[in-house]
Amino acid sequence: MSALPRPSTIFLAAITTLVAVLLYSPLFVPIVSSFFIISHGNVDWSSPTLSTYVALAGNHDILAALRTTLIVGVCTVVLSVISGTLLALYYHGRRSGRSILQFIVFLPFLMPPIISGLALLIFFREIGLERSLLTVVIGHTVFVLAIVYRTVLMRLQSMSRTLVEASYDLGASGWQTFWRIILPNLSSAMVGGAILAFALSFDETMITILVTGTQSTLPVRLWAMMRLGFSPDINALVALILMFTVLLCVLAARFLIPKQMATERN
């Protein structure tokens, strides 16, 4: 006969379940609400409908804000991956100034977003750069750079040095070694860091509010709508964003876990 679970195990399982329900049950409210008509706070459970998704497709303000968010996110990912990879390679090369480099990269990420946003706002004003999507991209890149940098650096530090030495012994140049040995080993970390950077950029609000121009990203648009209340099609938007976020999490976990570790676990 199998032993019965101890009371402490049952208690911990119950607490874990309760915490999970309290944390994640609110996420299902907009998903369920997006498939039913809500009138004066009452839900009509008798007639499922996709009307909120149809209304969302015709909400040009929300779609424009979403398009702006995607443009900013893609630009931020490209800049942060290139910059973060180069900085990680510099740090891993054991050159001078590594402590200062770490401080500069991590400081904007560790500071409260409102402080980072104010610092960027003052900087842009002093250099005469008007607030626009460019300033938003710069602000997001400065914020998420630490994530990409740390992700790539950890993969570099876990990579065997003998691979690089063997490449040089076989007559490969520095560029050939980077292109054929180092970069393929960093590709999964770069993709994982890019996914995390995009997720952070997609959600960033405080820095965006301070450095944005006339074009609003989706979080800023939703922030402004809080004063007047949300329309029913926002439930459909939240449901789609939640599904997209779950997909990003799955992809990030897929690329951030080294293949050797995944094979050992299986």
Side-chain angles (χ1 to χ4, degrees), residues 98-178:
R98 296 198 303 173
S99 299
I100 299 177
L101 173 64
Q102 294 260 57
F103 177 79
I104 294 175
V105 171
F106 284 107
L107 184 61
F109 184 77
L110 295 176
M111 287 193 305
I114 189 172
I115 302 300
S116 299
L118 284 173
L120 288 168
L121 177 61
I122 295 173
F123 172 75
F124 294 143
R125 185 186 62 187
E126 292 297 324
I127 65 175
L129 183 60
E130 294 293 332
R131 290 185 293 173
S132 61
L133 285 186
L134 175 60
T135 56
V136 176
V137 170
I138 294 174
H140 285 202
T141 302
V142 170
F143 177 67
V144 306
L145 180 61
I147 293 295
V148 180
Y149 165 78
R150 187 58 183 171
T151 302
V152 176
L153 181 60
M154 291 179 62
R155 183 60 56 84
L156 268 175
Q157 293 175 339
S158 64
M159 190 175 65
S160 176
R161 180 67 182 174
T162 56
L163 294 175
V164 178
E165 294 174 352
S167 176
Y168 286 133
D169 290 340
L170 293 173
S173 63
W175 173 252
Q176 289 174 327
T177 300
F178 171 77

Side-chain angles (χ1 to χ4, degrees), residues 158-238:
S158 64
M159 190 175 65
S160 176
R161 180 67 182 174
T162 56
L163 294 175
V164 178
E165 294 174 352
S167 176
Y168 286 133
D169 290 340
L170 293 173
S173 63
W175 173 252
Q176 289 174 327
T177 300
F178 171 77
W179 186 256
R180 298 185 178 182
I181 303 299
I182 298 178
L183 189 59
N185 281 277
L186 295 181
S187 59
S188 60
M190 293 170 63
V191 173
I195 294 173
L196 293 176
F198 181 83
L200 289 175
S201 174
F202 191 93
D203 184 58
E204 178 52 44
T205 304
M206 187 57 64
I207 293 178
T208 308
I209 290 177
L210 293 171
V211 300
T212 191
T214 57
Q215 294 176 284
S216 298
T217 61
L218 184 60
V220 174
R221 181 67 183 175
L222 295 178
W223 183 283
M225 291 178 64
M226 289 179 60
R227 302 173 183 176
L228 301 176
F230 296 118
S231 54
D233 55 345
I234 298 300
N235 290 325
L237 176 66
V238 172

